Amino acid sequence: MPDNVGVMDRFVDRLPETAFFKFVAARILVPFWAWWTPVKPLPGGPHPSFQHGDNVQCMMNLIMPLKDKSPVGRAHAAMAIAQHKDAIFAGLNNVGTVHFARFVIVGDNICMFSVYDGDFTNYIRDFIATIGEVFDAVVGLVEGGEEITPCEKNVEAFIQWVHEHDLYQVPDTPTDFLRDQERLNGDKAVAPVNDDLTLLPRKMVLQLRANANVSLGSGYRAYPGYSVAQVRKQLGLGW
Amino acid sequence: MVDPSTAKRLVQVIHDNLPTPVPGRRPVHTIGIGVKGKFIASDVARTYCIAEHFDGAPVEVSIRFSNGLGGLEQHDGWSDVRGMAVRFHLKDGTASDLIATTLGEFFVRNVDDFFKFSEIAKREPFKRRHWLLKILDFLQLKIPQRNPYPGETQSIDEGALRYANQHRFSQLGIFQVGLIGAPESYARASYHAVHTFWVTAPDGVRRPVRFYWQPVAGVNNTDPKAELRDKYLFDELKERLKRWPARFMLMMTIGEEGDALDDCTKPWPGTRLRIAMGTLTLTGIPEGAEQAEAGERISFNPCRLAPGIEASNDPILEARLGAYEVSREMRGGCPFKWSADNA
């Protein structure tokens, strides 16, 4: 350290790690900036793209808050999945574009995490056609679910509901996160731009306040660029 | 092709922004170490590229690891871009070079951008930010400017930030430089060749690709809060290679229609096909006069490519072709034949 480092310098450098600062940040600074510079939650699901590689192995991270937030409510959700296991697996086979799918209970939420190929709305439409009953059973246990069941009769509303419960996928690079916010706010980047990159931490904090659950990055893929159909064909699985 | 006077200007601008002149040395990536190695292509590499070093036979390789900063002072512990320049020695005495750094994307798109960046991001006096201003930053939920390292009196950080604030294309590269840190070892960092190249397969299909080296030992940086060490990377590598060879996987990502082919500031999505092209094994570190050849006199060029690999139209890659040659001449680096019939 240079010689002119004083006591206050050392104290301030350590300040963000202190319980006092964390308390002030959480209780005062973040609420203040959220009020002063409101942030809209970024929409969930994969970023739209025409490119092949971006339209295979897409992620869906559906977080659905349970109506009954007790162990009994969670048990009901677990039973709904268990009772429909055959229907879910048959439906997933019939959809034919799903790499992986699983249901998970996290806290008071029932979650469906899946990796699929192709367009999101078609994916959900296929689901409604093949396992609509299962979704009705699960969504019936979830907050706001009654408005979209039976899903066969509320297809568009159901798709929109799923999209709203799909997590925002934070991009792989910090600058793409900034671009997402700019697009949402209608910033057309007219030259000359005059950004303040030092505001990135605040923008991220405020987005995570508005959007408490997010998916981080585009995720790892062992065989990027391949669809379910290609993998099955290559492995000789009789598809 | 960038004209010779522009290539000279490019190198001069870099020299002009150095803290002290470095006659006879590289103006950036000045501090480096030469290493010997062997590369063996994977079984699938030859199906994507006909270049000789991807045919599966072992290839002798020269590698130069370096710190990105220009100047004769060695500061291994500082957050800095690191370089890994690799030369594949071909049977006819020519070579194919692959120059990579720990930076995933570059911060300028072309020569004009570079000159403008150099004007704005000049070396400036660098002082510790006053604690009151840091408190102000914290209150705004900003991260304050970093503290200077011991002995660091000048920096381009402020200018680079100003440039990034005005040029969105540069923001990713400049962010990455700011967060890059110091590797625990040259053998524990990933190195990216940033530019797009075109590779030709045996069936004549040409594909746009980007290459990167992935360390088999894994990526690991030093703890930024630990006490800084100025010189450890050379000794660490020597000790590591005495115990066991270090390895890197050469990965090749294949671009798609719509991906940025001629712009090294734009990343390709992580969803692109990637192929393991082979394994590089670091076998030893030359000593004495041999090290002077392997670490200093050796001159790489990102456009020295074996048949089967071509440079894209990336203007920065084009500019590097001439600038590396100018820099080589200025420091008396070893000339190298570009093809079997040109000595």
Side-chain angles (χ1 to χ4, degrees), chain A residues 184-205:
Chain A
L184 187 69
N185 296 328
D187 175 355
K188 302 274 193 303
V190 178
V193 294
N194 192 19
D195 294 335
D196 181 359
L197 291 184
T198 63
L199 286 175
L200 176 68
R202 186 164 91 203
K203 287 180 177 171
M204 182 55 87
V205 166

Side-chain angles (χ1 to χ4, degrees), chain B residues 26 29-33 62-66 83-85 295-296 300:
Chain B
R26 289 169 167 84
H29 292 271
T30 315
I31 302 292
I33 183 169
S62 301
I63 306 114
R64 183 177 185 268
F65 290 102
S66 58
M84 178 182 178
E296 286 307 319
F300 297 89

Side-chain angles (χ1 to χ4, degrees), chain B residues 70-123:
Chain B
L72 297 174
E73 289 183 10
Q74 187 166 349
H75 296 296
D76 292 345
W78 289 15
S79 177
D80 185 16
V81 175
R82 314 292 155 153
M84 178 182 178
V86 176
R87 167 159 303 161
F88 301 90
H89 296 279
L90 307 180
K91 287 183 200 121
D92 64 0
T94 60
S96 196
D97 290 353
L98 184 62
I99 302 180
T101 72
T102 47
L103 191 60
E105 279 74 34
F106 207 49
F107 46 86
V108 290
R109 301 163 302 180
N110 52 47
V111 172
D112 289 340
D113 288 345
F114 184 79
F115 286 130
K116 197 174 262 181
F117 173 81
S118 304
E119 273 170 34
I120 297 176
K122 281 209 186 305
R123 201 166 278 277

Side-chain angles (χ1 to χ4, degrees), chain A residues 133-148:
Chain A
E133 288 162 40
V134 179
F135 264 119
D136 285 346
V138 173
V139 169
L141 301 170
V142 169
E143 285 176 4
E146 58 282 351
E147 290 158 27
I148 48 160

Side-chain angles (χ1 to χ4, degrees), chain B residues 23-71:
Chain B
R25 302 289 294 273
R26 289 169 167 84
V28 283
H29 292 271
T30 315
I31 302 292
I33 183 169
V35 182
K36 287 191 282 193
K38 255 190 177 46
F39 177 79
I40 299 183
S42 69
D43 291 344
V44 296
R46 75 192 72 172
T47 64
Y48 287 94
C49 182
I50 57 170
E52 183 185 310
H53 51 296
F54 293 133
D55 70 6
V59 178
E60 294 295 328
V61 167
S62 301
I63 306 114
R64 183 177 185 268
F65 290 102
S66 58
N67 292 349
L69 285 173

Side-chain angles (χ1 to χ4, degrees), chain B residues 141-309:
Chain B
L141 300 175
K142 290 180 174 182
I143 295 176
Q145 160 205 294
R146 69 176 174 87
N147 293 328
Y149 294 116
E152 187 183 25
T153 55
Q154 292 183 317
S155 163
I156 66 161
D157 286 10
E158 278 286 304
L161 182 63
R162 277 198 300 278
Y163 184 83
N165 281 336
Q166 294 161 16
H167 301 89
R168 286 188 176 165
F169 62 79
S170 72
Q171 291 179 351
L172 180 57
I174 288 172
F175 255 130
Q176 288 178 352
V177 172
L179 300 174
I180 210 156
E184 183 194 285
S185 162
Y186 282 128
R188 298 206 64 181
S190 284
Y191 298 85
H192 310 265
V194 300
H195 304 289
T196 302
F197 296 88
W198 287 87
V199 296
T200 305
D203 57 7
V205 173
R206 290 172 77 245
R207 294 180 173 92
V209 302
R210 286 183 178 178
F211 292 103
Y212 63 98
W213 294 103
Q214 214 165 46
V216 171
V219 173
N220 199 25
N221 269 2
T222 57
D223 177 0
K225 290 178 189 158
E227 196 175 332
L228 282 182
R229 290 173 295 157
D230 271 341
K231 294 183 183 180
Y232 65 92
L233 285 172
F234 292 6
D235 287 342
E236 194 282 339
L237 195 58
K238 285 175 191 168
E239 288 304 311
R240 179 180 289 267
L241 296 189
K242 272 185 208 161
R243 294 196 305 273
W244 198 253
R247 294 196 169 88
F248 285 88
M249 296 273 286
L250 178 60
M251 306 300 291
M252 183 177 85
T253 306
I254 300 178
E256 287 184 13
E257 184 87 35
D259 287 341
L261 302 184
D262 303 331
D263 185 347
C264 52
T265 65
K266 288 189 179 156
W268 287 355
T271 49
R272 297 293 171 265
L273 268 181
R274 62 173 185 274
I275 312 295
M277 294 296 280
T279 305
L280 168 66
T281 305
L282 310 184
T283 53
I285 299 181
E287 297 288 342
E290 248 194 291
Q291 178 56 237
E293 279 297 318
E296 286 307 319
R297 286 207 74 225
I298 191 168
S299 299
F300 297 89
N301 194 302
C303 296
R304 180 180 291 121
L305 300 167
I309 310 175

